[in-house]
Structure formats: C-alpha cells, structure tokens
C-alpha cells in the first residue's frame, strides 16, 4: 500500500508478504459474449457462464416497427466503474465474555453482516452483536461482505480485538464494480414522434462472482424503455460470468446504462422527425394511467412532466443563446420490488434520562437517513429533535435487508411514522416521557405486493414507487460543461438541503461516468489503481449545478416522500452526449466519452500508457434502419 504504514500494521503486512502461493494459470474468459459461446471454459465450476436472463415482452414489436414512420438503431457501450467511496472498507471485531462477539461494521446491511459472520464462524446469530459505524460512503460498493468475516475470525481465534482496514489499492481490487453493458437498441415512432416500439438486447459483464449481477441486468431490462409510453416492448438482458473483476450494485443499478442507450435513441428520433429534443420527450413522457416498460400501470406520483416544465426555460434560453445543450429524462425505482418481500422496521425506546432511542434496520452511509428519520419522529410526536437518539445495531431484530433500491426513506420512514404515532397517542393521553421510561413502541411495515418480471398476473406492479427527473447540460464555446440543471420529482422534500446534496453528488458521479471515469482491465486485472487515472472528477472540474426539487407526493411514502439516492445520475450521461452532439455533430455510443472536448477539459482520466480515447469511442450518427 502507498503511504506510511501505521506501526501496528507492520508485523501483519510483513507476515502476509511471506506467504507464497502456487498458481496454475489458465486462459481467462474476458469477453462476456465469448463466455456465453458454446464450449467456453466455465468461470464457475458449478454453474454455466449465464448468470441471469431477464425478458420483457408486450405487444407485437415486429409489426409495430414495420408500421413505424421512423426507426433508429444503434449499439451503446458502458464501462466498468469504481465506486471510490471516501472511506475504504473497515471492521472492528471484539470478543465478549460468554463466547460472544461484538462486530462494528460499515456494511449496507448490518443484519446481513451478522447472519453471514455467524455462518462463517459456525455459531448462532444471537452470539454476534453488530453495530453500524458511520461509513463515509458506499454507493452500493459495501453491499457485499468485504473484511467483516476475516476480522471476526481473527478476533475469535486470538481472543483479542481486531480491526481490519483495507488500503485504497486493496479496496479497488476487492469490491464489485459497476457493470459494463453492451446494448443493441431498435426504436420506432410514428410521424408525430410518438414511440411505437422498443427492441433491446443487453449483455452485462458480471465478472467472476455473482454478487447482485443478475438483479442489475434485471433492473436494466425493467428500465429499458426509460420514462416513456411504449406500447410494444421486446427486451432481453443477460448477465455473464467472466474472469474480470466482479460487478454488482452501484448507484443507479442498471438504469444508468439503459438510459444512455434509450435517451440516445430519443435524440436520433428527434432528428429523424424534425422535432425539438425537449418536445419529443414531452410527447412521450409517462403520466398517471400510462404503462411503464414492464407492464405496470402507473397509478400515482408521476412527476416527469413537471420536471420537463421546470427545465424548459433553461433549455430554451440556452438554445436561443446558441449554446450546445443536451437534455435527457430518467426514471428509477424506489423499493426493490420485482416480487421481493420488503420491510420497514423501527423501535422507539423511551430511556430513563428522557431521551428516545430510535432504532431502525437501514444504513446511513452519508445520505442523511438518520436525520430524516428523526424528522419524521419529530413531525409525528411534536417532541424536539434533541430528544431522539438514532441507532442502528442488533439490540432489536430489525433485519430488513440492505440499504438499496432507494428505499430506506420510503420504508424505514413509514415504520418510524407508525411507531411515532403510538408514542404520540400516549403523550396525547397525558403521559410524560419520564412516566413512559422503558416503554418500547414497535412498528413492522411489510410490503409484499410487487410482482416479478414475466409474472402471469392480472395486475403488474414491478415497484412500489418511482423517481423521475429531467436534466439539461450546457457547454461553453470550447465544449466544456459549464452548467447542469437537474429537476427531480422527489415526492416530498423532507429535508431540502440533504435532498439537493444527494442530487448534486449524483451529478458529480454522472459527469465522471459520462466523460472520464473507467476501470479498464487487462487479463482480468485493473490496469491502474491511481485515483487521477481512474478519472473521478476533482472539485475544480465541476460545473455549476442548479437543482430544482419537484414534489408530486407518493401516497405509499412517509408524508409523500420517495427515494432520491440513485435517480440523480440516471439522465446525466445521455444529457452530456446530447450536448456534445449539438457541439460537434458526433453521436457518441461509448462511455466514457474521452475523445470529447468536454473530457479533455477535465484534469483527470488520462491513463499512462494508454492513448486518449483508446477504443471505438465515437462514430458518426447511425443511419435509420429500414
């Protein structure tokens, strides 16, 4: 590892350096298409190389495309991305009297960590106490186990406390990344620019281990049509095992990749029809009563058109000023859905000192979840915020899965509101907090009404809720990104400052994804672990970001709120691609768009020994398919 090594770590690292391992090198399987070819070597000896296959079919796509006035086709490619959370993986395990263990973890689901550590040690879960430590970021990269089991085992066998922290290089090499996905799209519309059909074929490189790769491609398939009305749909998405680094959850979870392709098709159709790019999106934007790509009829909280109206003055002004401007819309589920049973769980415990401990099962990883949960409790009970002490540990059995799918506010918030109403009832009855000391107010909210892809049911409900967004990207006369306007339907902005911060951080990640970030590999190994070369944007590279919060309340959310953690970067890359095409006439089909003037204006993303824009970064606009 680079940098000085703390004295306590030196003996451990010196011992590790003495370990010799004998390898038998075998030819690696590095291309997902080749991995799925007949006779390809198996990456996993107990499973073929097809990890998952997700299918969505509605209507008659062949007939709809044949009858369309305009049809466009293209192949889009996205890249592998490193999460680069500020704090690398770390865990502290401490033996306790009576054969117990205390684990302090930064994982995205402490009860999952508890279950897996207990299984690893071969003990009952009740012998492992787990507590969440604020973790300095995750973005999905801390869903999988990393160092928790190793730290626990070392503490278990030595009888001493053990802290295990990865160096930055170890972190980059170890945890799963964002999926590279290749997407073949064919999309049609009528003479008025209204969409008729979408055919999409997606193939994702999941690397050597499953992680949640199957679910990422499932989500990419579900979001393949973007936030638009499409009467005829034919989508297939496959995840393949390869010998590349594993890929799993990362902010956006497949929706970013799908939107890069679908929004590119919208721009191509705008040109074919002669429509303004804002107008073609307006004509196709989903509203209440419309059908989502999976077949779910949208019944409430669909604020997409409000976001389009919110950005229109900024878009029109940039066009009128002769600026190169791009626009893209986005949709992202809130709640895992797809037939998964989900929970929100909370316990409010009145303490002897007059405070109220607020327990919940979801992880705060810097997004401000615990602040928002306290706000819900304050709103319901009328008690001051200083009364509440939020905690995430295994004192109560509050396992509700990982903090994923933009659902912690949605479901955790509902549970806190429910528990707080019970406390409020006792307060309204004249009881004081001292008189209620020791009382526990419990709430377990279960959500089990969603349906998996392909389910033969009369009413499809793929997800509990959706966030919607429109973003506008504006370039200066040299082609540099100078302004981003991001309008987001968040249901209800419980804490506007936190909400805006989420979107601003997402835009930062989205711009890096669009222009400079990648983790290329050779022979299955990253070619660099340098932060500057990986391409994460510095503060000086960031343009002005204007966030516009749109509130279309979600009836299934607490006080109308729904998740905003992932939607923030779903439209960013395609909006950048549209702005670049307006600037130089080149339609780009591959991320990152390093060949562009916007990327060259950044101070990061140049990998030593690799030519800028290596690979087929851009092509001229594809002709319409017959």
């Amino acid at each position: 590892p680079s940098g000085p090594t703390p004295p306590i770590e030196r003996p451990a690292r010196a011992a590790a350096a003495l370990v010799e391992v004998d390898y038998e090198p075998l030819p690696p399987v590095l291309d997902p298409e080749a991995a799925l070819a007949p006779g390809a070597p198996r990456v996993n000896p107990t499973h073929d190389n097809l990890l998952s296959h997700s299918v969505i079919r509605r209507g008659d796509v062949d007939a709809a495309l044949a009858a369309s006035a305009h049809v466009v086709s293209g192949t889009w490619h996205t890249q592998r991305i490193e999460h680069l959370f500020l704090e690398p993986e770390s865990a502290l395990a401490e033996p306790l009297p009576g054969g117990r263990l205390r684990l302090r973890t930064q994982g995205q689901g402490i009860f999952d960590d508890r279950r897996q550590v207990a299984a690893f040690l071969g003990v009952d879960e009740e012998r492992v106490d787990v507590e969440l430590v604020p973790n300095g970021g995750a973005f999905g990269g801390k869903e999988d186990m990393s160092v928790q089991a190793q730290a626990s085992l070392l503490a278990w066998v030595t009888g001493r406390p053990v802290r295990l922290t990865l160096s930055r290089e170890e972190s980059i090499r170890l945890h799963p990344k964002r999926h590279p996905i290749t997407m073949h799209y064919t999309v049609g519309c009528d003479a008025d620019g209204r969409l008729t059909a979408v055919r999409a074929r997606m193939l994702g490189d999941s690397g050597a281990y499953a992680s949640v790769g199957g679910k990422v491609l499932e989500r990419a398939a579900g979001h393949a049509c973007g936030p638009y009305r499409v009467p005829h749909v034919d989508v297939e998405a496959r995840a393949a095992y390869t010998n590349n680094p594993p890929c799993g959850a990362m902010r956006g979870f497949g929706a970013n990749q799908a939107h890069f392709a679908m929004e590119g098709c919208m721009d191509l159709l705008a040109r074919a029809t002669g429509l303004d790019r804002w107008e073609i999106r307006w004509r196709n934007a989903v509203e209440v009563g419309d059908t989502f790509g999976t077949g779910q009829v949208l019944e409430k909280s669909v604020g997409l058109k409000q976001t389009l109206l919110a950005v229109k003055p900024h878009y029109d002004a940039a066009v009128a000023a002769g600026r190169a401007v791009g626009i893209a819309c986005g949709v992202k589920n809130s709640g895992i859905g797809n037939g998964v049973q989900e929970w929100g769980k909370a316990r409010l415990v009145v303490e002897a000192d007059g405070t109220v401990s607020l327990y919940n099962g979801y992880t705060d990883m810097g997004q401000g979840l615990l602040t928002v949960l306290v706000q819900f409790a304050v709103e319901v009970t009328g008690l001051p915020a200083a009364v509440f002490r939020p905690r995430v540990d295994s004192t109560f059995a509050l396992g509700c899965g990982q903090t994923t799918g933009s659902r912690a506010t949605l479901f955790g918030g509902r549970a806190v509101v429910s528990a707080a109403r019970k406390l409020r009832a006792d307060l309204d009855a004249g009881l004081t907090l001292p008189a209620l000391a020791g009382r526990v107010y419990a709430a377990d909210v279960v959500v089990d009404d969603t349906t998996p892809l392909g389910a033969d049911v009369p009413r499809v409900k793929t997800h509990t809720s959706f966030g919607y967004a429109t973003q506008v990207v504006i370039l200066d006369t040299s082609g540099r990104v100078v302004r981003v306007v991001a309008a987001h339907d968040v249901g209800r902005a419980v804490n506007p400052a936190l909400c805006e911060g989420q979107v601003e951080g997402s835009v930062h990640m989205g711009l890096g994804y669009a222009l400079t970030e990648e983790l290329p590999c050779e022979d299955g190994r990253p070619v660099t672990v340098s932060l500057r070369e990986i391409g994460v944007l510095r503060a000086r590279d960031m343009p002005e970001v204007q966030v516009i919060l749109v509130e279309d309340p979600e009836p299934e959310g607490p006080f109308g709120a729904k998740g905003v953690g992932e939607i923030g970067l779903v439209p960013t890359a395609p909006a950048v691609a549209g702005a670049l095409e307006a600037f130089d006439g080149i339609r780009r089909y591959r991320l990152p768009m390093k060949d562009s003037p916007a990327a060259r204006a950044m101070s990061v993303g140049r990998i030593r020994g690799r030519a800028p824009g290596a690979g087929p970064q851009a092509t001229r606009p594809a002709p319409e398919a017959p």
Side-chain angles (χ1 to χ4, degrees):
S2 59
T5 302
I8 195 171
E9 294 184 21
R10 289 173 186 160
R13 294 199 177 276
L18 295 176
V19 176
E20 296 182 3
V21 181
D22 292 326
Y23 296 98
E24 180 188 356
L26 298 174
V29 181
L30 302 176
D31 177 74
E33 194 73 55
L36 298 182
R42 281 193 173 189
V43 174
N44 186 325
T46 63
H47 196 288
D48 64 30
N49 290 341
L50 179 63
L51 171 60
S52 70
H53 184 201
S54 302
V55 178
I56 301 171
R57 290 196 173 96
R58 293 192 292 110
D60 188 338
V61 167
D62 288 336
L65 289 174
S68 297
H70 304 281
V71 177
V72 296
S73 296
T75 300
W76 282 260
H77 305 269
T78 65
Q79 77 281 39
R80 183 178 294 101
I81 287 285
E82 156 65 22
H83 297 75
L84 202 67
F85 27 74
L86 285 177
E87 181 186 19
E89 294 85 343
S90 186
L92 173 63
E94 178 186 1
L96 300 176
R100 300 176 64 83
L101 183 81
R102 175 178 290 125
L103 174 65
R104 293 180 174 89
T105 175
Q106 53 172 215
Q108 287 184 232
I110 67 161
F111 289 93
D112 280 9
D113 289 355
R114 182 192 196 195
R115 172 178 52 81
Q116 294 179 82
V117 165
F120 185 73
L121 296 178
V123 302
D124 294 336
E125 288 186 37
E126 289 69 24
R127 294 175 65 182
V128 180
D129 299 328
V130 185
E131 178 184 352
L132 173 72
V133 179
N135 70 10
F139 310 119
K142 293 175 181 173
E143 286 188 27
D144 299 78
M145 292 281 284
S146 57
V147 295
Q148 296 94 330
Q150 298 94 314
S152 298
L153 178 62
L154 289 168
W156 193 262
V157 299
T158 63
R160 301 290 300 276
V162 173
R163 185 186 67 191
L164 205 165
T165 300
L166 297 184
S167 68
R168 180 61 68 183
E169 178 178 341
E170 290 167 337
S171 174
I172 291 172
R173 293 189 182 280
L174 187 145
H175 66 254
K177 311 303 175 190
R178 187 192 299 285
H179 277 75
I181 302 181
T182 297
M183 298 162 287
H184 306 284
Y185 264 71
T186 300
V187 182
C189 72
D190 63 19
D192 294 323
R194 291 182 171 82
L195 295 174
T196 54
V198 169
R199 173 176 285 126
R201 297 292 182 266
M202 303 175 170
L203 177 58
D205 182 350
S206 275
Y209 299 96
S211 185
V212 290
K215 291 299 180 182
V216 170
L217 270 294
E218 177 186 73
R219 210 69 76 248
H223 289 71
C225 298
Y228 303 115
R229 288 186 305 274
V230 183
H232 302 274
V233 178
D234 177 6
V235 175
E236 294 186 32
R238 298 174 296 163
Y241 284 112
T242 70
N243 290 119
N244 289 313
C247 291
M250 188 172 179
R251 199 179 202 174
F253 207 87
N256 310 327
Q257 294 94 319
H259 279 71
F260 180 55
M262 183 61 196
E263 291 294 310
C265 290
M266 295 298 287
D267 283 348
L268 294 176
L269 287 172
R271 182 191 303 113
T273 58
L275 290 172
D276 175 83
R277 287 172 292 164
W278 184 93
E279 178 63 30
I280 196 169
R281 287 169 169 84
W282 176 263
R283 293 188 185 189
N284 291 285
V286 290
E287 301 177 86
V288 170
D290 286 332
T291 301
F292 184 57
T294 62
Q296 177 177 348
V297 176
L298 303 171
E299 299 174 344
K300 31 73 175 179
S301 188
V302 184
L304 178 61
K305 283 201 164 182
Q306 293 97 304
T307 68
L308 275 162
L309 290 173
V311 303
K312 193 173 192 304
H314 307 278
Y315 175 84
D316 288 345
V319 171
R323 291 290 186 89
V325 57
I327 184 172
C329 295
V331 59
K332 180 67 179 70
N333 58 289
S334 188
I336 293 174
N338 288 102
V340 174
Q341 185 182 74
E342 302 183 76
W343 291 86
K345 300 183 180 184
R347 300 291 185 271
L348 299 183
V349 181
V350 182
E351 307 291 357
D353 62 0
T355 64
V356 178
S357 294
L358 190 163
Y359 293 87
N360 103 101
Y362 288 112
T363 293
D364 192 320
M365 56 192 109
Q367 78 274 38
L369 171 66
L370 299 184
T371 298
V372 170
L373 295 184
V374 168
Q375 286 186 251
F376 288 138
V378 167
E379 185 73 18
V380 173
T381 64
L383 296 170
V387 166
F388 294 95
R389 299 285 189 269
R391 299 178 63 180
V392 184
D393 62 33
S394 55
T395 299
F396 296 96
L398 303 183
C400 47
Q402 301 270 343
T403 302
T404 60
S406 301
R407 65 186 179 136
T409 295
L410 183 67
F411 297 144
R414 281 176 57 177
V416 168
V417 168
S418 177
R421 284 173 177 160
K422 298 173 184 178
L423 172 57
R424 176 61 185 264
D426 280 351
L427 294 172
D428 287 346
L431 297 172
T432 63
L433 286 179
L436 294 171
R439 192 76 61 90
V440 178
Y441 298 90
D444 296 322
V445 176
V446 62
V447 179
D448 59 359
D449 62 345
T450 63
T451 56
L453 293 185
D456 185 12
V457 293
R459 176 178 175 267
V460 172
K461 186 179 182 181
T462 316
H463 297 290
T464 298
S465 181
F466 296 91
Y468 300 90
T470 304
Q471 293 185 0
V472 169
V473 170
I474 302 169
L475 309 185
D476 64 14
T477 55
S478 67
R480 182 189 184 104
V481 178
V482 292
R483 189 166 179 240
V484 178
V485 181
H488 285 256
D489 166 26
V490 301
R492 177 77 180 276
V494 177
N495 188 310
L498 285 177
C499 201
E500 290 179 12
Q502 279 272 56
V503 175
E504 289 174 358
S506 296
V507 169
H508 170 273
M509 188 176 282
L511 290 173
Y513 185 47
L515 296 171
T516 58
E517 289 190 49
E518 60 177 338
L519 192 71
C521 295
E522 292 178 0
D523 295 327
R525 297 173 61 87
V527 302
T528 182
V529 293
S530 161
L531 305 193
R532 181 182 295 187
E533 293 182 355
I534 285 172
V536 177
L537 298 186
R538 295 173 165 182
R540 73 186 194 194
D541 295 316
M542 277 297 289
E544 173 194 353
V545 179
Q546 179 178 351
V547 178
I548 303 172
L549 299 180
V550 172
E551 296 182 307
D552 192 327
E554 168 55 66
E556 295 191 66
F559 295 100
K562 54 189 176 183
V564 71
E566 298 175 273
I567 180 68
L569 72 156
V570 169
T572 310
V576 173
L580 287 169
E581 184 181 25
F583 182 80
D584 59 17
I586 300 174
R587 166 55 51 178
R588 292 166 170 86
Y589 292 85
R590 183 179 295 268
L591 296 181
M593 298 178 281
K594 285 191 172 182
D595 70 303
S596 68
R600 290 193 293 269
M602 300 299 182
S603 65
V604 294
R606 298 167 185 85
I607 300 176
R608 288 171 291 181
R610 292 173 69 91
Q617 295 291 337
T619 60
R620 288 289 171 180
E624 285 190 9

